Amino acid sequence: DIQMTQSPSSLSASVGDRVTITCRASQDIDNYLAWFQQKAGEAPKSLIYAAFALNSGVPSKFGGSRSGTDFTLTITNLQPEDFATYYCQQYKSYPYTFGQGTKLEMK
Amino acid sequence: EVQLAESGGGLVQPGRSLRLSCAASGFTSGFTFSRFSMNWVRQAPGKGLEWVSYISSGSADVYYADSVRGRFTISRDNAQNSLYLQMNSLRVDDTAVYYCARASHDIGDKFYMDVWGKGTAVTVSS
């Protein structure tokens, strides 16, 4: 199985900040990497697929990048509605696997 | 707007069975259920996301997580625009919110999950 190691597990930031979340795959997954946002008590919401592509309706303040097996989610100009838990997920092969999640909290 | 709605969750004793359903709607927005693969994903209380199972649009291909293989069965009825998860021999560690998620095509035979239902809670306890 492909392991997805996500860091940090938690992150404290302020409104207006720019933050970065990293996900490392245990093997090559090409660009088959998705990012999700989950707010407390809600279902996950798809943000990014194919490592870089924004899902429909997702603002451009969210961005994805890749360097080898390392993937990054960047969020700029943090707003109160952005404080949530973020997950990465590989869909290169079954079983699909998720990172452990990063809880983004307001400082 | 595409919508997925799970149902069938509840409290069940260990060793018993439960069948989850996921109803799809939003066809005026161009969503044809029969053209999309589907997934089940679960989330134990206070934990992260765990993929459970996948089924292709025509049911030819199905995949399972090791943790549920042999106990859970995924199926679909395209005429009814519905997805199912039959869960047998339930264990305490199957306790979770279960989400259905649409799989949209990326490149080749790769699919990403783009639309999620709100989930249905399953509690396995004596």
Side-chain angles (χ1 to χ4, degrees):
Chain A
D1 297 1
I2 299 174
Q3 306 303 315
M4 304 301 295
T5 303
Q6 190 173 336
S7 61
S9 57
S10 65
L11 181 56
S12 183
S14 301
V15 171
D17 283 356
R18 173 183 181 273
V19 297
T20 297
I21 298 169
T22 298
C23 197
R24 173 169 290 175
S26 61
Q27 63 190 74
D28 180 24
I29 60 170
D30 297 311
N31 285 341
Y32 299 117
L33 190 283
W35 289 98
F36 301 93
Q37 175 194 65
Q38 186 178 34
K39 298 179 180 178
E42 296 185 8
K45 173 187 174 183
S46 174
L47 297 176
I48 287 172
Y49 66 97
F52 316 100
L54 290 179
N55 218 334
S56 176
V58 175
S60 59
K61 63 185 306 177
F62 293 96
S65 64
R66 173 196 174 192
S67 176
T69 59
D70 290 341
F71 297 82
T72 300
L73 173 69
T74 300
I75 313 170
T76 59
N77 188 24
L78 279 173
Q79 295 301 304
E81 62 269 24
D82 299 328
F83 291 91
T85 300
Y86 293 84
Y87 294 93
C88 62
Q89 177 245 329
Q90 67 81 19
Y91 54 96
K92 173 71 180 291
S93 65
Y94 296 98
Y96 289 167
T97 44
F98 290 87
Q100 304 93 316
T102 295
K103 187 173 185 179
L104 177 56
E105 299 174 303
M106 196 177 301
K107 190 181 292 182
Chain B
E1 179 188 2
V2 176
Q3 289 189 333
L4 300 172
E6 303 89 341
S7 61
L11 174 63
V12 61
Q13 293 178 325
R16 304 297 291 265
S17 298
L18 207 58
R19 190 196 198 203
L20 305 183
S21 299
C22 170
S25 61
F27 311 108
T28 56
S29 61
F31 173 38
T32 303
F33 179 75
S34 61
R35 294 183 180 177
F36 286 86
S37 300
M38 298 292 295
N39 292 275
W40 287 100
V41 176
R42 68 184 180 182
Q43 186 170 36
K47 302 298 184 183
L49 300 169
E50 179 188 18
W51 172 81
V52 172
S53 185
Y54 161 95
I55 186 167
S56 60
S57 58
S59 303
D61 298 318
V62 296
Y63 301 103
Y64 297 97
D66 287 347
S67 58
V68 306
R69 186 176 295 111
R71 300 187 299 122
F72 290 11
T73 302
I74 190 171
S75 63
R76 63 190 296 161
D77 183 339
N78 287 340
Q80 297 295 322
N81 298 308
S82 293
L83 172 73
Y84 305 102
L85 186 68
Q86 177 67 42
M87 304 187 296
N88 298 334
S89 302
L90 281 161
R91 308 190 302 219
V92 171
D93 61 359
D94 292 319
T95 295
V97 174
Y98 285 74
Y99 299 99
C100 60
R102 188 180 78 170
S104 280
H105 184 242
D106 186 353
I107 298 174
D109 61 348
K110 309 305 182 190
F111 299 88
Y112 63 97
M113 294 180 281
D114 64 340
V115 178
W116 296 60
K118 296 185 187 301
T120 186
V122 173
T123 302
V124 184
S125 175
S126 55

